């Protein structure tokens, strides 16, 4: 802390910490030692369609009418975090009745002197879906490129037929041009 700077006391510190928690764009819960929600930030409430007033003071497992009673989460939190310990990048998938399947990465830290657990939740559902879609598209592109190579090879073989080099070149390039025009037509029709 800079010289002359003071840390706020009591109520000011609480207001400051609540403001910091609400500013964080990642869903964040502050849990008491008994795993009751002390604070749920706006990002958490928005992402999981929960009302902050109904969330605070309840057991984390009771949130969303029991939607957060997730066996993996229960196991993780029941093992307990030693003083000032943390866990990072804990992957968790859960199908919430109200919002559907979510793929999440959890990070938590026990802040022992405050008797609190900070639980940050990153929803990576869309990222995982996009990665899966990208992998599918790359596979499809790979398949089409291999097919294109096979077609070019077949064109090269067919164009030979004992012709002179100049005539072979002319026939081969004509067939490659026809293939390119066919590709343009298919692309323009969105491959229908």
């Amino acid at each position: 802390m800079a010289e002359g700077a003071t840390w706020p006391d009591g109520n000011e510190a609480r207001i400051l910490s609540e403001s910091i928690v609400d500013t964080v764009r990642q869903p964040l819960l502050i849990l008491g030692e008994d795993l009751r929600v002390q604070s749920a930030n706006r990002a958490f409430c928005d992402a999981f369609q929960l009302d902050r007033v109904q969330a605070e003071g309840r057991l984390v497992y009771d949130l969303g009418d029991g939607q957060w009673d997730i066996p993996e989460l229960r196991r993780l939190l029941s093992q307990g975090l030693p003083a000032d310990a943390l866990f990072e990048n804990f992957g968790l998938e859960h199908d919430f009745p109200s919002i559907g399947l979510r793929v999440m990465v959890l990070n938590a830290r026990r802040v022992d002197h405050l008797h609190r657990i900070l639980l940050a939740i990153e929803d990576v559902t869309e990222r995982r879906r996009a990665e899966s879609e990208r992998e599918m598209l790359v596979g499809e592109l790979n398949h089409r490129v291999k097919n294109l190579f096979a077609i070019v090879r077949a064109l090269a073989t067919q164009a030979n037929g004992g012709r002179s080099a100049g005539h072979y070149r002319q026939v081969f390039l004509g067939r490659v041009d026809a293939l390119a025009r066919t590709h343009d037509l298919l692309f323009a029709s969105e491959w229908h």
Side-chain angles (χ1 to χ4, degrees), residues 38-181:
Q38 301 294 312
S39 181
N41 74 351
R42 185 178 309 122
F44 177 85
C45 294
D46 291 348
F48 297 102
Q49 298 178 357
L50 294 171
D51 181 72
R52 181 184 302 205
V53 173
Q54 293 174 339
E56 291 177 351
R58 296 183 73 185
L59 282 174
V60 67
Y61 310 122
D62 293 339
L63 294 178
D65 294 325
Q67 291 184 52
W68 280 85
D69 192 5
I70 305 168
E72 295 91 344
L73 179 63
R74 192 175 273 278
R75 247 189 324 278
L76 186 67
L77 293 176
S78 70
Q79 292 171 356
L81 291 167
D84 293 320
L86 60 98
F87 65 79
E88 294 180 310
N89 300 320
F90 181 82
L92 180 66
E93 278 189 33
H94 185 67
D95 195 359
F96 293 90
S98 62
I99 59 173
L101 178 68
R102 290 292 181 259
V103 180
M104 301 170 284
V105 176
L106 306 181
N107 293 301
R109 178 179 198 100
R110 177 179 293 280
V111 185
D112 200 46
H113 69 283
L114 296 175
H115 307 288
R116 301 284 187 269
I117 297 171
L118 303 177
L119 179 61
I121 302 150
E122 182 180 4
D123 184 348
V124 295
T125 307
E126 288 304 311
R127 184 183 337 157
R128 294 282 166 86
R129 184 198 55 74
E131 287 171 3
S132 178
E133 189 174 289
R134 183 191 56 79
E135 287 173 10
M136 182 195 69
L137 290 173
V138 167
E140 178 65 22
L141 178 62
N142 183 43
H143 176 74
R144 289 185 185 207
V145 167
K146 283 183 179 181
N147 284 346
L148 186 58
F149 285 142
I151 290 169
V152 170
R153 181 173 172 74
L155 290 176
T157 303
Q158 290 175 353
N160 189 4
R163 298 181 176 107
S164 69
H167 189 251
Y168 170 79
R169 181 179 180 276
Q170 183 181 5
V171 170
F172 178 71
L173 291 177
R175 289 181 178 176
V176 169
D177 288 342
L179 180 63
R181 286 191 302 277

